[in-house]
Amino acid sequence: MTAYNVVRFRVKPGREQDFVDAHKIDDPGFEGMRKFALIDTGGGTYCVVGEWESFDHLVDARPGMIGMLDAIRDMLEDMGGDLGVTDPISGAVVHEIAPKPKRKAKAKAKAKKKAAAKAKAKAKAKKPAKKAAKKKAAKRRKR
C-alpha cells in the first residue's frame, strides 16, 4: 500500500537557496520512492513530501534520508519543542481521493478528426450513386 513521509524544516536566514539546491537530486537511489516534492511554505519554512510504493520501502530508506539530512543539518534551525531540526511524520495511506481522468485534448482532437474523415468518406461514397441516378434520369428524358 502507498505510503507518504512529510518533513518540515526551518532554514537559517540566508541559506534558503543552498537548502533548495541541496534537494535538486535527479535520483537519490531510494528503492520504492515514487516521487518527492520540496515545498516552500513561507517564512523560511519548507516541507518535503515523499510518495512511496509501500511503508516498508519508506522504512528501508530512512538511513539514506538521515544521511541526506546530515549533509544539510548546518543549514537548519532548531524547530523547538524537543523536535530538533525536523518535524517528521509518515504512514501508510488508508484512503485516497483522485479526480476522474478527463479525456485529453489530443484524444478529443483525434476523435474529432477521425469522425470528420469518416463523414467525408461517407459523402464521397454517396456521390457516385447520385451521378448514376442523374445519368439514368437523363437517359429516360431522352427517350
Side-chain angles (χ1 to χ4, degrees):
M1 170 141 317
T2 301
Y4 287 88
N5 70 310
V6 180
V7 183
R8 186 170 56 106
F9 306 89
R10 187 175 305 122
V11 180
K12 291 177 182 176
R15 300 297 309 269
E16 293 88 350
Q17 192 57 54
D18 294 335
F19 179 78
V20 170
D21 290 344
H23 285 86
K24 292 182 179 178
I25 302 166
D26 287 336
D27 181 4
F30 298 136
E31 187 175 333
M33 186 184 86
R34 290 184 181 158
K35 60 184 172 181
F36 165 91
L38 177 64
I39 303 155
D40 182 348
T41 58
T45 304
Y46 291 81
C47 185
V48 166
V49 178
E51 181 182 347
W52 302 84
E53 290 178 17
S54 70
F55 191 72
D56 288 338
H57 282 106
L58 188 157
V59 170
D60 292 345
R62 281 183 179 154
M65 288 188 283
I66 291 168
M68 289 176 70
L69 173 63
D70 288 342
I72 60 168
R73 196 175 293 275
D74 67 312
M75 300 177 200
L76 305 174
E77 290 185 349
D78 191 288
M79 300 289 290
D82 296 327
L83 288 174
V85 294
T86 64
D87 182 10
I89 55 173
S90 61
V93 172
V94 294
H95 181 69
E96 259 184 338
I97 298 173
K100 291 182 181 177
K102 295 181 182 179
R103 283 183 83 185
K104 303 235 181 216
K106 202 174 192 180
K108 283 183 182 179
K110 188 176 180 182
K112 193 173 181 179
K113 189 175 180 180
K114 188 175 180 179
K118 191 174 182 179
K120 189 175 180 180
K122 193 174 182 180
K124 245 185 184 179
K126 286 182 180 180
K127 282 183 182 180
K130 282 184 178 181
K131 281 184 181 180
K134 282 183 182 180
K135 281 183 181 180
K136 274 187 179 180
K139 280 182 183 181
R140 282 186 210 146
R141 279 187 240 138
K142 285 183 182 180
R143 292 185 192 164

